[in-house]
Amino acid sequence: MNILATIFEKIFRPLKDFLTRTYGYIMSCQYYIEALENEKNELKSRRDDVKRRVDVAERRRMEPTSEVKLWLERVAFLEERAAKINQEFQDWLTATENRSQSMISTYQLSKKADETLTEARNLKGKGVFEKVADELVQVRFEEIPSTPVVGMASLLDQLRECLSNDDVGVVGIYGLGGVGKTALLKKFNNEILAVAKDIDFVIYIEVTKDLNMDEIQRIIGDRLSLSWEKKLAKERALVIYKVLSKMNFVLLLDDLWEPLNLLNLGVPIPKWQSKSKIILATRIEDVCDQMDAKKKIKVECLPQDEAWELFQEKVGEALVCYKTGIRRHAEELTAKCGGLPLALITVGRAMASKRTANEWKHAVTVLRIAPWQFLGMETYVFNHLKRSYDNLPTDKLRTCLLYCSLYPEEFSIHKDYITDYCIGEGLIDNLYAQLDELYNMGHHLLGVLKTASLLESGDDEDSIKMHPMVRAMVLWIASEFGAKNMKWIVQAGVGLKEAPRVEKWTEADMISLMYNDIHELYEAPISPHLRTLMLQHNPALEKICDGFFQFIPYLKILDISHTSISRLPSGIGSLACLQYLDFCNTQISSLPKELESLVNLRFLLFSHTPLKAIPSGVIGCLLALEVLYMGRSYGDWKVGSIGTGVEFQELESLKRLRALDITILTLVALQKLLQSHQLAGSTRYLHLDGCAELVMVLLPSSDLWKTMTGLKRVTIADCDNLEDVIIDGSSANDLPNLQRVILRGLQKARIVWKAGCLQHLKYLYILDCNKMERLIEISSQEEEEECRTITVFPNLKVLSLSSLPNFKSLNSGRTLLAFPSLESFKVMGCPMLSKLKLAAEKLKEITGIARWWDELEWDDDDHKSAFLPLFKHSDG
């Protein structure tokens, strides 16, 4: 009996239970589904309670326990599985109505529902927690490996000050690549430990160009000990925001190449009076502005003393023992680095093992001629700087930068020169109708390069400079990374007595030999690829051999200005592609007839030349001309029977002309110019020389000027019968662009004020005007006796008085002249000027000879003490 009972329990009862459960699964599918749905809802309620506790804990900067995280993940997984089972049940119902549902599929569905139901009951039972989160173990500061910084004490002080300034939330640090921005930021990160007691958290991120938003969020999350598997970017941003908004944090973002959307990251933007700070470092100043930096700090290259200190440190102690000759070469190498720390370190390390003067002298030569061959320069410096070049958005900007590299090192380049070349070669297109707009475009391009830290400010607002290491990097790129050294031959300002041999010109695209002492070009090169040839500012250059241009078929830009060349070589007419020709300030006195073949010429510049003869028809053939500058040069225009030179009609045939610098010798020619609306509107610089018929000039409102809307400069010279230059601004505001007036050699002239002012005038030069006694004469005696102040030149920056033997005063009677914008006042050869009486609060310098200054009379000591620090001695 016992044996039968045992057999029954082991065999038949399990079989019975199986059959019962199987039958139940088949007959009661809906029961299991409904039971699962009810249990899932109860589990969901418990899950919501746990999540609310977790959210509260996270807002208190706590982190969910591992047990809670695992439970929530299992609940989420079960909910997904229950939803799938429910969908299968709905499909089962549809199949049952169609009598196509099998018993096997019904059994399987009920079984899955039953098993999931059991798991849901177990999870519900385990979802009771005494605590759901622990206090976060956060590292508030992480020290970063850093290198010693040289010459950055003041920058560190500024950053420290930003920490305590509650008005500054976002700080932008910008500057040239390799200047030390990263070193500065790391140094600051490491010292926050000591100086910032009320900062809860400091996060340093090297963003780089390739780092995306997800990776930045991950770095921030890791530092905050946050966990967010499978969270979307928006959800991660919310979590980061919740944590950081409760903190005083400092976020250091290094190596930014474009603005970051901080809110998309989840980083709260520091509000007014917030202790939190966001400090970013970038090469591009615009990035600082796009991220609303309230304070911008530019990291400059090192000054000479500190650059020498860093260089010595990298060369090592052995430099102390070197000979005097070696020190001289060491100083040259230091200067070549332009104060750029990365270059100083690279060059210093390369020279650490050099012991002889010959080795050091060779290093100077290499760094001057082919710096990419210098040990480590290509790897550590040029490739680093090239990232800025590659980041430029257009090739137009890159080409513009290449043109800047044609000038000598550390040279202050007028922005218009670069713009001229870019227009001349067609890089700046004709989208804009007015030439001024093209120049504005050129200035804009140079401005973009400046904000990208690839150019620097020049000597004034109209000039730029190029750092020597940036220049070397650009020339390295132009030479196809050093593979073709003769592709760009740039030896500007290096003291050449002779030009490079013509066989070196064969592969050249660009040649710049400007600012040298070359005497003659006596061989004709074969240069099938040459597009640009710069020979300007070789004052000793007197001759270019005939036929020189015969085998340079694609030359577009030729500059031989500021040389002693007395004639253009025969064969210049073969330059069919030439678009830009500049021979200003040369000794050329006549133009060859073959110049009429240059039908693609857009720029023709020959101002300040003794040009007396232009063959008939030459000007009229240059129909592509857009810019024609011939001020203080040719002016013998034939109008009717007056004049013997070029017919004025040839000028009128230049329908594309947009900028004209012209010399006029007769009143008839001036009237003809004014009658031509196209020519008058194109006139930028007007030179009235020796015009005997001119007796009076009215500025700024006169019929004389009404068609010259683009006039920027007026020179009136040697007009012997001119008596009055009258300023009367009582009518329409004409001459909106006039910035410069030059009065020279006017024996009878005086300036008479009636009303108004010259609103836009910035520069006024008066020289060799013998009769002039005052700067301004008042037009009536009654007005002269009034005690008052008038402003005739509200925007005048420079006033220069020279060789005025009878000049006694700036003012007329009791009237005081005010110069609210005057910065520079120059007085030379004015022996009768014994008093200085003017109102000029922005005046920065007064230039004159010491004897004149010492003999000046002053109305009071206060007046004298105000002007005394401004005086600068000149030898005359």
Side-chain angles (χ1 to χ4, degrees):
M1 191 68 180
N2 291 335
I3 294 174
L4 289 174
T6 301
I7 293 172
F8 180 82
E9 289 295 328
K10 289 185 177 182
I11 297 176
F12 292 105
R13 186 176 295 280
L15 180 61
K16 176 186 175 185
D17 293 342
F18 170 74
L19 292 173
T20 302
R21 189 166 60 252
T22 301
Y23 180 77
Y25 282 163
I26 295 172
M27 300 303 297
S28 305
C29 183
Q30 184 168 350
Y31 163 77
Y32 289 107
I33 296 298
E34 290 175 353
L36 173 59
E37 188 67 18
N38 291 334
E39 195 66 35
K40 185 193 74 171
N41 290 335
E42 291 182 16
L43 178 62
K44 184 178 179 181
S45 297
R46 182 154 298 179
R47 181 215 54 194
D48 291 343
D49 291 339
V50 173
K51 286 194 72 174
R52 274 192 294 272
R53 292 174 63 192
V54 168
D55 289 342
V56 171
E58 286 182 339
R59 286 196 291 271
R60 294 174 180 170
R61 306 179 194 172
M62 301 175 70
E63 183 178 18
T65 64
S66 298
E67 181 184 20
V68 168
K69 289 180 185 177
L70 179 60
W71 186 83
L72 288 173
E73 289 174 3
R74 291 179 62 187
V75 170
F77 179 74
L78 185 137
E79 288 178 344
E80 291 178 6
R81 191 167 57 182
K84 290 180 180 178
I85 291 173
N86 188 60
Q87 184 59 49
E88 288 182 28
F89 176 68
Q90 299 304 319
D91 296 341
W92 178 85
L93 289 176
T94 302
T96 300
E97 291 175 359
N98 295 332
R99 300 186 182 278
S100 60
Q101 184 65 44
S102 69
M103 294 178 62
I104 294 176
S105 62
T106 303
Y107 167 80
Q108 291 174 339
L109 179 60
S110 297
K111 183 181 179 184
K112 283 195 289 186
D114 188 25
E115 291 173 349
T116 305
L117 175 64
T118 301
E119 185 176 351
R121 288 169 178 162
N122 290 335
L123 282 174
K124 185 175 71 174
K126 293 179 180 179
V128 180
F129 304 98
E130 290 186 13
K131 65 174 184 177
V132 296
D134 295 318
E135 294 290 338
L136 276 175
V137 180
Q138 295 177 334
V139 181
R140 295 172 58 232
F141 303 91
E142 281 189 346
E143 190 164 356
I144 301 171
S146 62
T147 56
V149 294
V150 176
M152 293 190 177
S154 63
L155 298 177
L156 284 168
D157 287 341
Q158 290 184 59
L159 288 176
R160 295 184 193 110
E161 186 179 330
C162 290
L163 279 184
S164 59
N165 187 346
D166 294 346
D167 294 337
V168 177
V170 181
V171 180
I173 302 171
Y174 69 98
L176 177 62
V179 80
K181 301 181 297 296
T182 295
L184 174 66
L185 212 58
K186 288 182 176 180
K187 174 74 173 176
F188 183 65
N189 174 86
N190 293 345
E191 75 162 28
I192 291 179
L193 288 164
V195 300
K197 304 299 183 184
D198 51 358
I199 297 297
D200 300 314
F201 224 87
V202 179
I203 304 174
Y204 175 95
I205 303 176
E206 187 174 356
V207 180
T208 73
K209 194 169 179 62
D210 300 323
L211 204 63
N212 59 40
M213 297 283 279
D214 288 343
E215 292 170 313
I216 296 172
Q217 282 186 324
R218 179 186 56 77
I219 294 170
I220 295 174
D222 289 347
R223 283 298 320 281
L224 296 174
S225 301
L226 301 177
S227 177
W228 44 41
E229 288 80 359
K230 298 183 180 179
K231 274 188 170 66
L232 299 175
K234 289 184 178 180
E235 295 173 316
R236 294 196 296 268
L238 287 174
V239 175
I240 292 173
Y241 188 88
K242 285 178 182 179
V243 176
L244 288 182
S245 60
K246 304 297 182 182
M247 293 182 175
N248 292 329
F249 67 89
V250 175
L251 178 61
L252 304 173
L253 300 170
D254 189 21
D255 200 21
L256 256 68
W257 289 88
E258 57 186 26
L260 283 180
N261 190 317
L262 296 173
L263 293 179
N264 284 353
L265 280 175
V267 176
I269 298 172
K271 300 177 181 177
W272 183 65
Q273 291 192 330
S274 170
K275 296 293 183 183
S276 295
K277 308 293 174 189
I278 297 170
I279 302 176
L280 60 101
T282 177
R283 302 186 188 188
I284 308 165
E285 185 180 358
D286 278 346
V287 171
C288 301
D289 298 325
Q290 293 298 314
M291 293 190 67
D292 292 326
K294 299 303 180 186
K295 181 176 178 60
K296 294 190 294 185
I297 300 173
K298 184 177 182 181
V299 183
E300 304 276 5
C301 290
L302 298 176
Q304 183 178 351
D305 291 345
E306 290 171 347
W308 176 245
E309 176 187 339
L310 178 58
F311 182 77
Q312 287 185 96
E313 177 190 326
K314 296 305 171 183
V315 174
E317 296 180 0
L319 184 59
V320 179
C321 305
Y322 293 171
K323 301 174 183 177
T324 304
I326 288 181
R327 179 181 174 108
R328 177 168 58 86
H329 298 315
E331 290 173 346
E332 286 185 69
L333 289 176
T334 304
K336 288 286 184 184
C337 294
L340 186 67
L342 182 61
L344 289 163
I345 292 169
T346 301
V347 175
R349 287 171 175 167
M351 299 308 297
S353 60
K354 310 303 179 187
R355 298 290 186 269
T356 68
N358 286 339
E359 289 176 298
W360 282 79
K361 188 175 182 179
H362 174 69
V364 173
T365 302
V366 171
L367 207 55
R368 176 173 58 86
I369 295 178
W372 45 87
Q373 295 178 3
F374 199 96
L375 180 63
M377 189 62 66
E378 182 175 325
T379 302
Y380 299 114
V381 180
F382 291 168
N383 278 318
H384 187 71
L385 294 174
K386 183 176 176 288
R387 294 171 63 199
S388 294
Y389 179 88
D390 293 339
N391 191 62
L392 293 173
T394 66
D395 286 337
K396 190 177 295 184
L397 283 165
R398 297 184 186 94
T399 305
C400 190
L401 188 66
L402 288 169
Y403 267 109
C404 295
S405 72
L406 299 177
Y407 281 81
E409 284 186 2
E410 301 289 355
F411 194 84
S412 187
I413 313 167
H414 199 286
K415 294 176 182 177
D416 283 355
Y417 294 165
I418 302 299
T419 304
D420 283 347
Y421 300 141
C422 291
I423 296 173
E425 196 172 333
L427 296 172
I428 298 178
D429 55 35
N430 291 326
L431 175 65
Y432 306 103
Q434 299 297 323
L435 190 69
D436 280 348
E437 293 168 343
L438 289 180
Y439 279 97
N440 291 341
M441 179 62 178
H443 285 227
H444 163 73
L445 293 175
L446 293 169
V448 172
L449 293 170
K450 186 179 173 184
T451 60
S453 298
L454 288 168
L455 292 177
E456 304 169 355
S457 297
D459 293 342
D460 54 48
E461 64 181 12
D462 294 322
S463 303
I464 47 91
K465 286 184 180 179
M466 180 177 254
H467 189 279
M469 285 294 112
V470 174
R471 179 176 181 268
M473 178 270 296
V474 170
L475 293 177
W476 167 66
I477 292 173
S479 66
E480 297 187 9
F481 310 108
K484 293 185 177 180
N485 291 342
M486 293 295 105
K487 188 174 182 179
W488 274 52
I489 301 175
V490 180
Q491 297 185 38
V494 295
L496 291 180
K497 301 290 186 183
E498 294 184 356
R501 295 191 306 273
V502 293
E503 53 264 30
K504 292 186 176 182
W505 295 34
T506 305
E507 299 297 324
D509 287 345
M510 300 267 189
I511 296 179
S512 174
L513 305 175
M514 65 174 80
Y515 289 92
N516 281 302
D517 196 27
I518 298 170
H519 287 66
E520 182 180 358
L521 297 174
Y522 51 86
E523 292 182 283
I526 299 175
S527 305
H529 310 293
L530 189 61
R531 301 194 325 269
T532 300
L533 178 57
M534 306 280 204
L535 298 169
Q536 66 265 37
H537 290 278
N538 277 278
L541 181 59
E542 295 182 345
K543 183 179 179 182
I544 299 177
C545 68
D546 289 335
F548 183 87
F549 300 110
Q550 184 176 358
F551 302 109
I552 313 179
Y554 298 111
L555 192 67
K556 286 186 175 182
I557 294 177
L558 174 62
D559 194 334
I560 54 175
S561 63
H562 297 87
T563 64
S564 297
I565 293 172
S566 58
R567 71 176 184 89
L568 293 172
S570 63
I572 193 168
S574 64
L575 298 177
C577 295
L578 195 66
Q579 297 189 28
Y580 181 101
L581 174 58
D582 186 351
F583 55 93
C584 294
N585 283 282
T586 63
Q587 299 302 312
I588 294 174
S589 58
S590 64
L591 296 186
K593 179 68 173 175
E594 63 176 316
L595 211 65
E596 66 186 11
S597 300
L598 306 182
V599 294
N600 290 306
L601 202 62
R602 299 171 66 191
F603 279 67
L604 179 57
L605 317 177
F606 53 87
S607 296
H608 299 274
T609 63
L611 194 65
K612 300 298 181 184
I614 300 178
S616 177
V618 168
I619 297 293
C621 287
L622 305 179
L623 298 180
L625 273 185
E626 297 178 29
V627 176
L628 177 58
Y629 287 171
M630 45 188 175
R632 297 194 68 180
S633 181
Y634 187 83
D636 186 18
W637 304 107
K638 186 178 181 181
V639 181
S641 60
I642 300 176
T644 58
V646 177
E647 291 278 355
F648 199 86
Q649 292 177 348
E650 290 195 39
L651 282 178
E652 293 179 305
S653 68
L654 304 178
K655 301 303 182 183
R656 295 187 181 183
L657 198 66
R658 294 193 280 186
L660 177 64
D661 179 351
I662 188 169
T663 297
I664 296 292
L665 303 181
T666 65
L667 191 58
V668 172
L670 177 61
Q671 291 170 344
K672 183 68 173 176
L673 174 66
L674 297 173
Q675 291 168 4
S676 172
H677 288 275
Q678 193 261 335
L679 286 179
S682 301
T683 302
R684 293 159 62 91
Y685 307 141
L686 175 64
H687 301 254
L688 298 174
D689 282 1
C691 187
E693 306 98 321
L694 195 65
V695 295
M696 187 269 290
V697 171
L698 183 64
L699 294 171
S701 302
S702 168
D703 290 342
L704 182 66
W705 314 110
K706 65 182 180 180
T707 54
M708 290 191 173
T709 55
L711 190 64
K712 291 189 173 184
R713 182 176 71 200
V714 173
T715 298
I716 306 175
D718 302 319
C719 298
D720 292 339
N721 295 316
L722 178 64
E723 293 186 0
D724 291 332
V725 177
I726 299 174
I727 298 174
D728 185 359
S730 58
S731 60
N733 184 22
D734 294 334
L735 296 176
N737 295 300
L738 184 63
Q739 297 183 6
R740 194 179 302 253
V741 169
I742 302 168
L743 305 177
R744 186 184 72 248
L746 307 176
Q747 302 307 315
K748 299 180 181 180
R750 61 178 188 158
I751 301 176
V752 180
W753 179 79
K754 283 189 174 182
C757 64
L758 290 179
Q759 180 68 36
H760 304 285
L761 194 69
K762 293 183 179 180
Y763 306 91
L764 176 59
Y765 302 90
I766 304 174
L767 58 158
D768 296 320
C769 297
N770 290 340
K771 190 177 179 181
M772 190 170 292
E773 296 182 359
R774 298 179 180 89
L775 181 62
I776 293 292
E777 300 277 357
I778 304 299
S779 61
S780 69
Q781 184 64 32
E782 291 76 19
E783 290 182 349
E784 186 174 339
E785 291 176 355
E786 293 182 15
C787 182
R788 59 174 176 163
T789 300
I790 61 173
T791 304
V792 182
F793 310 108
N795 290 296
L796 193 71
K797 290 186 175 182
V798 175
L799 173 61
S800 178
L801 307 175
S802 178
S803 300
L804 308 176
N806 293 303
F807 193 87
K808 298 175 182 178
S809 173
L810 292 172
N811 310 297
S812 179
R814 302 177 65 189
T815 300
L816 177 67
L817 283 181
F819 298 90
S821 302
L822 190 66
E823 298 177 1
S824 176
F825 180 32
K826 301 178 181 180
V827 179
M828 301 299 299
C830 301
M832 303 293 287
L833 182 60
S834 59
K835 283 189 177 183
L836 279 188
K837 191 174 182 181
L838 72 162
E841 59 271 15
K842 293 185 179 181
L843 193 61
K844 297 178 180 178
E845 64 177 20
I846 301 173
T847 305
I849 62 174
R851 182 179 177 181
W852 166 76
W853 180 257
D854 293 338
E855 293 177 355
L856 279 176
E857 299 174 10
W858 303 94
D859 289 339
D860 55 64
D861 291 338
D862 290 341
H863 200 194
K864 180 179 180 179
S865 61
F867 285 139
L868 188 60
L870 306 180
F871 180 70
K872 291 186 178 181
H873 171 69
S874 173
D875 294 331

